[in-house]
Amino acid sequence: MNQPLFNTLSQIRLLPVVVTEKEEDALPLARALSAGGLPCAEITYRTQAASACLKAISREMPDMLLGAGTVLSCAQVDDAMASGASFIVTPGFNPKVVEYCVDRKIPIIPGINNPTGVEAALSLGLDVVKFFPAEASGGVAMLKAMSAPYTQVRFVPTGGISPANLFSYLALPCVLACGGSWMVKSDWIAQGQFDRIRDVTREAVNLCTR
Ligand code: 3PG
């Protein structure tokens, strides 16, 4: 784990996973996250707006730690990096996409949910992976057992994380940070409920520091 980026993420401890339908929601959303104490976001390539949202946030809020999520192709890696992302997150381990990033020294957090995936990452020199989908894959018990042999690997559990189980993940020494969407629900974004996003973000940040 040599990138300063991962050090920053390990201090923030929480990565909001964002789905935005409209470019104009990007800045109010980023400001709400930042005001709630989370100066970071993973903007997912699940909508056409991802690229424009990354551009808007990186231009106006250059201090925000900005990642691109649900990246499924090398073309999306290029698009995300050109739009201002500083790291890539993938739901699964696609060797083409992962090698593309590694070759270009683009930080990537690939998704895995078994030891084979962990070793695929290690074989490419990566020691930070996303544990996805965390809860459906066995949750804290699974992560604890799976991480035991890989003392150098840090995990970003994502998928089914909520205020109810956040702390049990963060308490594991192998966990770098947790990903989640509960503080940035798509319908809140669509309805412009940015104050609510700020408040729930603040509660989530408080849970991380308790
Ligand atoms: C992701 O892409 O990382 C997940 O969809 C986030 O999972 P969650 O919605 O259960 O937090």
Side-chain angles (χ1 to χ4, degrees):
M1 195 183 77
N2 46 16
Q3 283 102 338
L5 165 80
F6 291 135
N7 291 333
T8 307
L9 193 53
S10 76
Q11 281 155 18
I12 298 176
R13 307 231 76 193
L14 202 50
L15 181 59
V17 178
V18 176
V19 180
T20 41
E21 298 290 344
K22 296 190 304 245
E23 175 184 353
E24 51 271 33
D25 289 337
L27 279 179
L29 171 78
R31 289 190 184 116
L33 286 170
S34 188
L38 268 189
C40 69
E42 173 190 328
I43 306 293
T44 58
Y45 270 71
R46 288 181 211 178
T47 69
Q48 297 293 326
S51 175
C53 290
L54 285 170
K55 281 182 188 150
I57 299 170
S58 60
R59 190 174 55 232
E60 298 295 326
M61 300 177 70
D63 292 337
M64 192 104 180
L65 182 65
L66 203 51
T70 321
V71 171
L72 303 178
S73 68
C74 301
Q76 285 179 333
V77 172
D78 287 341
D79 187 77
M81 297 311 288
S83 302
S86 31
F87 65 101
I88 300 294
V89 185
T90 61
F93 194 96
N94 177 335
K96 264 192 200 164
V97 173
V98 178
E99 282 172 32
Y100 189 81
C101 289
V102 168
D103 287 349
R104 288 159 182 76
K105 301 197 184 332
I106 296 170
I108 177 166
I109 308 176
I112 59 89
N113 75 343
N114 57 45
T116 306
V118 176
E119 292 186 27
L122 281 173
S123 72
L124 291 175
L126 301 178
D127 53 11
V128 176
V129 291
K130 169 173 170 165
F131 175 47
F132 179 77
E135 279 292 287
S137 301
V140 167
M142 168 64 171
L143 182 53
K144 208 171 167 183
M146 181 177 72
S147 63
Y150 308 112
T151 51
Q152 72 277 49
V153 179
R154 292 292 172 270
F155 296 82
V156 182
T158 308
I161 313 278
S162 72
N165 58 17
L166 174 66
F167 194 73
S168 52
Y169 281 99
L170 291 177
L172 296 181
C174 68
V175 168
L176 181 87
C178 282
S181 66
W182 80 91
M183 74 299 279
V184 285
K185 290 191 199 305
S186 297
D187 50 339
W188 296 355
I189 298 173
Q191 294 156 9
Q193 297 190 43
F194 297 110
D195 289 351
R196 186 173 187 181
I197 290 172
R198 179 200 59 212
D199 294 345
V200 177
T201 297
R202 191 170 289 145
E203 286 164 21
V205 169
N206 286 340
L207 283 176
C208 294
T209 50
R210 80 177 189 188

